[in-house]
Amino acid sequence: DGGITQSPKYLFRKEGQNVTLSCEQNLNHDAMYWYRQDPGQGLRLIYYSQIVNDFQKGDIAEGYSVSREKKESFPLTVTSAQKNPTAFYLCASAIPTSYNEQFFGPGTRLTVL
Amino acid sequence: QQQVKQSPQSLIVQKGGISIINCAYENTAFDYFPWYQQFPGKGPALLIAIRPDVSEKKEGRFTISFNKSAKQFSLHIMDSQPGDSATYFCAAILETSGSRLTFGEGTQLTVNP
């Protein structure tokens, strides 16, 4: 089955620890994205990558880092510098000729204690 | 800066009724307007979309109405069903921007049986 996998579904971390969220896709999509979802605020773009070994900051990149070493993978690291990391994180992908339709993964709910 | 404003934040409709969700945008350069549907604990999925050269698009019970002069667009769900209960997000994109979807804040729809 083609799709986007995010793991784990739930993640708990202590304050001050870095944590890496996994995102894998087998759709052969070039573009990948990370969004953060908070109640009443919609989806906000953290980082995106249109091609391997290249990525750009979104609207709320501070306190986050990414890498894009493989087409299939776009991991997101939430660093200790992120002041309010507890949120629902969504990964998405799209083909370059149709950025309009982004396919989303099931999300990871991160809780920092 | 919120470029897409969505209302209402929550909506309760009786089964068989019409659900209406409204969005307003600021950037007149946006050229594609999708709506996403999200069920609890899942990632959003594309529901229906419209381009600004069309005033209305209908797919089954779902219709988008687009008013370019007013910079507004809305989603109408006819004959609303309990299975339509979900969070709905409007979005806008400038296709030449490469990938940056701007989302509204979301509307939580509840359809009572």
Side-chain angles (χ1 to χ4, degrees):
Chain A
D1 287 339
I4 301 175
T5 303
Q6 290 187 246
S7 61
K9 189 169 180 65
Y10 299 96
L11 190 55
F12 297 88
R13 279 294 182 271
K14 291 184 179 179
E15 193 173 343
Q17 290 181 333
N18 291 355
V19 59
T20 297
L21 281 58
S22 168
C23 178
E24 303 279 334
Q25 54 97 1
N26 60 6
L27 299 168
N28 200 33
H29 287 172
D30 287 304
M32 297 187 73
Y33 315 81
W34 274 105
Y35 292 91
R36 171 181 171 138
Q37 184 174 14
D38 297 282
Q41 295 194 50
L43 282 69
R44 293 182 290 167
L45 183 64
I46 304 173
Y47 268 98
Y48 64 104
S49 167
Q50 295 175 275
I51 197 169
V52 174
N53 292 323
D54 187 45
F55 48 83
Q56 288 78 40
K57 293 182 179 179
D59 299 318
I60 56 166
E62 185 176 351
Y64 300 97
S65 66
V66 294
S67 62
R68 186 81 189 279
E69 297 176 1
K70 298 187 301 181
K71 187 176 184 177
E72 302 79 20
S73 179
F74 191 40
L76 173 74
T77 296
V78 184
T79 74
S80 57
Q82 167 52 230
K83 291 182 172 56
N84 186 19
T86 294
F88 189 49
Y89 291 89
L90 287 158
C91 178
S93 70
I95 58 175
T97 54
S98 183
Y99 292 125
N100 312 324
E101 184 169 2
Q102 295 186 10
F103 294 85
F104 284 83
T108 291
R109 185 164 298 280
L110 172 65
T111 302
V112 176
L113 306 171
Chain B
Q1 181 184 2
Q2 183 65 39
Q3 294 193 57
V4 178
K5 290 192 177 296
Q6 183 173 345
S7 64
Q9 188 172 7
S10 63
L11 181 61
I12 300 175
V13 174
Q14 292 299 119
K15 178 182 176 181
I18 302 174
S19 304
I20 301 174
I21 303 170
N22 300 300
C23 285
Y25 63 97
E26 299 173 6
N27 188 349
T28 55
F30 286 141
D31 52 12
Y32 189 77
F33 300 87
W35 283 89
Y36 281 80
Q37 180 188 53
Q38 183 182 30
F39 292 105
K42 306 292 185 183
L46 180 65
L47 181 64
I48 187 173
I50 196 168
R51 296 189 185 280
D53 55 348
V54 176
S55 62
E56 185 175 283
K57 184 174 182 180
K58 183 176 181 179
E59 289 184 2
R61 295 185 294 109
F62 300 90
T63 299
I64 300 178
S65 297
F66 191 87
N67 186 330
K68 189 174 182 177
S69 61
K71 295 190 288 185
Q72 295 176 347
F73 59 110
S74 60
L75 176 69
H76 296 235
I77 306 175
M78 311 300 288
D79 188 26
S80 298
Q81 299 296 313
D84 297 330
S85 297
T87 300
Y88 293 81
F89 294 96
C90 62
I93 187 171
L94 174 60
E95 288 190 283
T96 55
S97 74
S99 50
R100 298 190 58 138
L101 272 171
T102 300
F103 285 88
E105 300 94 330
T107 296
Q108 187 169 344
L109 172 66
T110 301
V111 181
N112 288 329

